[in-house]
């Protein structure tokens, strides 16, 4: 029910009064009714003791923004004269002669000029310098008949003698100068991701440069009171006031719960969460957290938790040198072939991997900093896995085949398969390292024989070999592919059979092929850039072992 319809009979008593008196009386009346019918009823249920009315009145006035003494006067006037006692008095200028409210308590109000002496005006206020509107107010005062000549002269004299107040905004200043270390710390806070810390640092930096208060308020989006509060805290505590420690129990509990969840995830393997990985990465941790708890964990929070719990990644690096006397000649031929590859030509990086024993492997793992990773030296044999793979340089697609051992017959079988799959090309170029099976007489005779048949029939492409220098794994792009494969599914693994390891390897190949079909790119990075990958500047040694 509409509250005005409920109290319509009493509100009708205010109709004889003008609108400027009726509307304030209605607002007072509706507040009083809300106080009696709603607020006191609820307060009586929730408060015990004899003083509940005083407490309820205090809370009601605070919530409504009405002074307590003023509200008590309204209650007294309403009790004595009814709703008519709430009508305000403007020196009896707006009241009808039929009724005069509040006869007992009359207040003498200073004489106000009639409406004929009012001058309508529009004032434009600049948010960055609000006091600049004083010049407009002075112009209004000078033309308004509502002001005495002495008032006009005094106001004009004030404006002329104090131009700094309205022409220039108030400028800020620090209670003391900043040291170089404090300035660097403030710049660090300002560039950080914490919004409140950034705003505090910006306010202090602007005060250092004597920027105006209005401009500082505009830049920091904080009030005048907050800016002065920060300056006062800086004079007392220095820059320590910027970082406020969290004392809210709910936030502390949430932070501890989030930390516990992350540690629980790290204590399990990624395979438990459906990931084809054997060790954790930041992206994998965040994905597992999202899947398990339905909440997003930011990179910043994850790094902070890992740092607090002293978790880190450990990895050992090894280097090799290339003793090949034809190092630069072979590298030059490889790069020249790659950079001049035609659309009807295919280029493959080929290499064998294995035998990888089916056992428990160590590797790079996310652990507490003081933890030592221990791997058993002697383990029972569960078999081994070997395979040969080829990586297409133009479309980044991998082809693989499991083999029993590394010999020429296995390589010929794999090349035959690739030759049939890419029969549409005119030429296929293979590149591989200096393994004995890659330069055997049987292999070279087989390639020569297949090329002769291809020239006669025209059904298959011609094959060409571009050998790599010895111990130059960084030029064979597929070595990096194998390195990523080992990190993902071999390191920290403990497969129970060869079939289980083969399934993990095949799944990795399939996932990578699907990814690069959707996001095509060439295999390798710097090797395609002629300006970066210069033959004359290539060192003969010291490169990362894959």
């Amino acid at each position: 029910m509409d509250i005005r319809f409920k109290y319509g009979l009493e509100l009708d008593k205010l109709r004889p009064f003008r609108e400027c008196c009726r509307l304030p009386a209605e607002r007072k009346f509706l507040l009083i009714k809300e106080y009696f019918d709603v607020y006191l009823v609820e307060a009586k249920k929730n408060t015990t003791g004899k003083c509940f009315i005083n407490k309820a009145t205090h809370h009601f006035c605070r919530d409504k923004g009405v002074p307590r003494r003023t509200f008590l006067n309204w209650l007294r006037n309403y009790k004595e004269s009814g709703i008519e006692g709430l009508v305000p008095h403007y020196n009896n200028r707006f009241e009808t002669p039929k009724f005069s409210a509040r006869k007992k308590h009359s207040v003498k109000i200073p004489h106000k000029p009639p409406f004929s002496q009012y001058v309508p005006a529009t004032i434009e206020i600049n948010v960055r310098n609000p006091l600049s509107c004083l010049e407009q107010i002075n112009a209004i005062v000078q033309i308004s008949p509502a002001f005495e000549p002495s008032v006009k002269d005094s106001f004009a004299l004030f404006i002329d003698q104090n131009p700094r107040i309205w022409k220039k905004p108030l400028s800020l200043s620090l209670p003391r100068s900043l040291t170089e270390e404090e300035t660097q710390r403030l710049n660090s806070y300002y560039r950080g991701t914490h919004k409140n810390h950034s705003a505090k640092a910006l306010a202090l930096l602007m005060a250092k440069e004597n920027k105006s208060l209005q401009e500082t308020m505009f830049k920091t989006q904080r009030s005048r009171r907050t800016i002065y509060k920060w300056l006062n805290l800086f004079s007392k505590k220095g820059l320590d006031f910027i970082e406020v420690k969290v004392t809210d129990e709910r936030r502390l509990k949430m932070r501890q719960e989030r930390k516990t969840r992350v540690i629980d995830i790290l204590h399990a393997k990624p395979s438990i969460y459906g990931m084809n990985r054997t060790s954790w990465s930041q992206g994998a941790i965040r994905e597992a957290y999202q899947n398990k708890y339905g909440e997003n964990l930011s990179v910043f929070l994850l790094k902070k938790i890992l740092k607090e719990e002293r978790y880190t990644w450990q990895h050992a690096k090894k280097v090799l040198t290339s003793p090949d006397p034809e190092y630069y000649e072979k590298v030059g031929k490889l790069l020249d072939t790659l950079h001049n590859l035609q659309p009807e030509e295919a280029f493959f990086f080929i290499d064998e991997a294995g035998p990888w024993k089916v056992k428990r492997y160590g590797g790079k793992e996310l652990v507490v900093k003081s933890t030592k990773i221990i791997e058993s030296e002697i383990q029972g044999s569960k078999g081994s896995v070997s395979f040969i793979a080829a990586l297409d340089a133009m479309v980044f697609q991998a082809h693989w085949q499991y083999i029993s051992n590394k010999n020429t017959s296995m390589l010929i079988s794999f090349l035959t398969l690739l030759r049939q799959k890419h029969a549409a090309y005119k030429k296929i170029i293979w590149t591989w390292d200096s393994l004995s099976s890659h330069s055997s007489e049987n292999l070279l005779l087989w390639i020569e024989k297949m090329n002769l048949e291809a020239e006669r029939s025209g059904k298959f492409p011609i094959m060409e070999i571009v050998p790599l220098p010895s111990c130059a794994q960084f030029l064979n792009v597929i070595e990096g592919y194998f390195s990523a494969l080992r990190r993902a599914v071999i390191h920290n693994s403990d497969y129970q059979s060869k079939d289980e390891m083969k399934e993990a390897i095949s799944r990795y190949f399939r996932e990578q092929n699907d990814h690069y079909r959707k996001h095509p790119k060439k295999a390798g990075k710097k090797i395609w850039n002629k300006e970066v990958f210069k033959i004359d500047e290539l060192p003969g040694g010291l490169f990362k072992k894959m």
Side-chain angles (χ1 to χ4, degrees):
M1 177 186 291
D2 187 5
I3 191 171
R4 292 181 176 274
F5 181 77
K6 182 178 181 181
Y7 303 111
L9 294 178
E10 288 191 80
L11 292 174
D12 286 342
K13 297 178 183 180
L14 298 178
R15 286 189 177 182
F17 298 93
R18 292 192 180 185
E19 184 178 0
C20 58
C21 297
R22 186 180 73 254
L23 294 180
E26 288 182 358
R27 286 194 293 268
K28 296 175 186 178
F29 173 74
L30 295 176
L31 278 176
I32 290 173
K33 286 299 180 182
E34 182 181 356
Y35 170 74
F36 281 114
D37 298 346
V38 179
Y39 209 86
L40 280 184
V41 176
E42 296 294 331
K44 193 171 183 180
K45 295 178 182 178
N46 302 329
T47 310
T48 58
K50 298 181 180 180
C51 300
F52 81 93
I53 294 181
N54 293 334
K55 292 182 179 179
T57 306
H58 172 73
H59 292 303
F60 181 79
C61 295
R62 184 191 62 187
D63 296 341
K64 299 299 180 181
V66 180
R68 187 170 178 270
R69 181 175 294 179
T70 302
F71 185 71
L72 292 177
N73 288 336
W74 293 350
L75 292 178
R76 185 178 64 250
N77 296 337
Y78 179 71
K79 183 178 180 181
E80 294 175 355
S81 305
I83 194 172
E84 294 88 348
L86 302 177
V87 178
H89 292 265
Y90 301 112
N91 203 17
N92 297 328
R93 290 185 297 108
F94 302 120
E95 295 184 7
T96 59
K98 298 180 182 180
F99 183 83
S100 178
R102 285 196 63 192
K103 297 179 180 179
K104 293 184 180 181
H105 308 282
S106 60
V107 181
K108 187 175 181 180
I109 302 176
H111 174 69
K112 292 186 178 181
F115 284 116
S116 61
Q117 297 184 14
Y118 289 166
V119 178
T122 303
I123 299 175
E124 296 182 359
I125 299 179
N126 185 1
V127 202
R128 299 187 178 184
N129 186 15
L131 295 179
S132 61
C133 67
L134 288 176
E135 188 177 13
Q136 303 176 47
I137 296 175
N138 180 37
I140 296 170
V141 169
Q142 300 304 322
I143 65 174
S144 173
F147 298 96
E148 299 292 335
S150 59
V151 176
K152 296 181 180 180
D153 296 339
S154 300
F155 197 82
L157 182 63
F158 173 79
I159 293 296
D160 294 337
Q161 292 180 350
N162 301 277
R164 61 183 182 83
I165 295 180
W166 58 274
K167 283 189 176 181
K168 294 183 179 180
L170 296 176
S171 60
L172 296 175
S173 61
L174 291 175
R176 62 173 178 82
S177 59
L178 292 171
T179 63
E180 184 178 354
E181 182 182 355
E182 288 178 334
T183 305
Q184 293 177 357
R185 186 177 170 188
L186 285 177
N187 288 325
S188 177
Y189 281 131
Y190 174 62
R191 293 190 298 267
T193 57
H194 198 291
K195 294 183 179 179
N196 201 27
H197 293 177
S198 180
K200 292 177 181 178
L202 178 59
L204 294 181
L205 291 173
M206 295 183 72
K208 176 189 175 184
E209 299 175 0
N210 298 114
K211 298 292 185 180
S212 67
L213 173 63
Q214 287 73 27
E215 187 177 359
T216 306
M217 293 166 57
F218 181 79
K219 289 287 187 181
T220 60
Q221 295 296 310
R222 300 297 191 276
S223 65
R224 178 195 305 260
R225 181 178 178 182
T226 302
I227 300 297
Y228 282 126
K229 176 185 175 182
W230 289 348
L231 294 177
N232 187 29
L233 288 173
F234 171 73
S235 64
K236 293 179 179 179
K237 302 180 180 180
L239 298 185
D240 294 337
F241 84 95
I242 294 181
E243 293 191 20
V244 181
K245 294 184 178 180
V246 180
T247 56
D248 183 55
E249 293 184 0
R250 183 179 60 85
R251 293 184 63 185
L252 290 174
K253 183 179 179 181
M254 185 183 302
R255 179 178 296 180
Q256 184 61 35
E257 183 180 3
R258 187 186 296 117
K259 186 184 299 184
T260 304
R261 289 176 175 178
V262 172
I263 300 303
D264 289 343
I265 291 175
L266 295 179
H267 286 171
K269 290 292 182 181
S271 57
I272 296 179
Y273 297 91
M275 302 179 188
N276 188 30
R277 297 185 59 88
T278 56
S279 60
W280 287 110
S281 65
Q282 289 186 10
I285 296 173
R286 295 177 60 209
E287 182 181 350
Y289 192 95
Q290 172 72 26
N291 295 337
K292 185 173 182 180
Y293 300 105
E295 299 177 6
N296 185 27
L297 183 66
S298 66
V299 177
F300 173 78
L301 286 177
L302 177 59
K303 289 183 177 179
K304 186 176 181 180
I305 292 173
L306 297 178
K307 185 176 180 180
E308 290 177 354
E309 297 299 318
R310 302 177 64 189
Y311 275 81
T312 183
W313 279 271
Q314 297 180 359
H315 182 66
K317 297 181 179 179
K318 295 181 181 180
V319 295
L320 290 174
T321 56
S322 176
D324 198 325
E326 300 179 357
Y327 175 78
Y328 288 102
E329 290 77 4
K330 292 182 178 180
V331 172
K333 183 179 180 181
L334 170 67
L335 297 181
D336 184 67
T337 305
L338 268 178
H339 295 160
N340 297 290
L341 202 62
Q342 301 300 317
E344 65 274 5
E345 297 177 350
F347 192 101
F348 289 92
F349 297 96
I350 299 178
D351 198 11
E352 293 88 356
W356 292 344
K357 293 184 178 180
V358 182
K359 64 172 187 175
R360 178 176 178 80
Y361 282 86
K364 187 178 179 182
E365 189 173 359
L366 185 61
V367 295
V368 180
K369 194 170 184 179
S370 59
T371 303
K372 293 184 179 180
I373 304 176
I374 300 175
E375 179 185 354
S376 177
E377 180 70 23
I378 301 175
Q379 298 185 31
S381 176
K382 302 175 186 176
S384 62
V385 173
S386 300
F387 61 91
I388 183 172
L391 187 62
D392 194 326
M394 298 301 294
V395 295
F396 214 123
Q397 293 294 302
H399 307 271
W400 71 99
Q401 179 178 313
Y402 294 101
I403 56 179
S404 57
N405 50 53
K406 299 179 182 179
N407 54 31
T408 305
S409 61
M410 293 293 178
L411 180 58
I412 291 175
S413 173
F414 181 66
L415 295 180
T416 303
L417 180 63
L418 284 180
R419 183 168 174 262
Q420 294 173 355
K421 286 185 178 180
H422 299 83
Y425 288 91
K426 291 184 179 180
K427 188 177 184 180
I428 298 180
I429 303 171
W430 323 106
T431 183
W432 46 49
D433 54 25
S434 55
L435 190 67
S436 59
S437 59
H438 295 165
S439 57
S440 66
E441 185 178 353
N442 292 337
L443 175 64
L444 298 178
L445 291 175
W446 177 82
I447 293 177
E448 184 179 355
K449 179 181 177 182
M450 292 298 105
N451 287 341
L452 291 175
E453 290 183 4
E455 291 177 356
R456 287 196 301 266
S457 63
K459 295 181 180 180
F460 293 100
I462 297 175
M463 294 179 287
E464 181 183 344
I465 301 175
V466 178
L468 292 175
S470 60
C471 299
Q473 290 94 327
F474 77 105
L475 289 173
N476 197 351
V477 177
I478 199 170
E479 291 282 359
Y481 195 97
F482 289 166
S483 179
L485 186 150
R486 287 178 65 89
R487 288 195 301 268
V489 299
I490 302 299
H491 290 176
N492 305 299
S493 66
D494 189 12
Y495 298 113
Q496 301 302 313
S497 64
K498 294 193 298 183
D499 293 338
E500 190 176 351
M501 179 180 283
K502 288 181 179 179
E503 175 59 30
I505 294 172
S506 299
R507 182 180 172 186
Y508 181 86
F509 278 121
R510 290 193 296 268
E511 290 175 353
Q512 294 298 309
N513 287 346
D514 292 342
H515 172 77
Y516 288 112
R517 284 194 198 98
K518 298 177 182 177
H519 310 281
K521 59 170 290 189
K522 294 181 179 180
K525 295 181 180 179
K526 294 182 180 180
I527 199 169
W528 294 94
N529 194 335
K530 297 181 181 179
E531 297 180 358
V532 176
F533 207 88
K534 298 179 181 179
I535 301 175
D536 298 336
E537 299 178 4
L538 285 178
L542 286 187
F543 52 88
K544 188 176 179 182
K545 183 180 179 181
M546 300 298 179

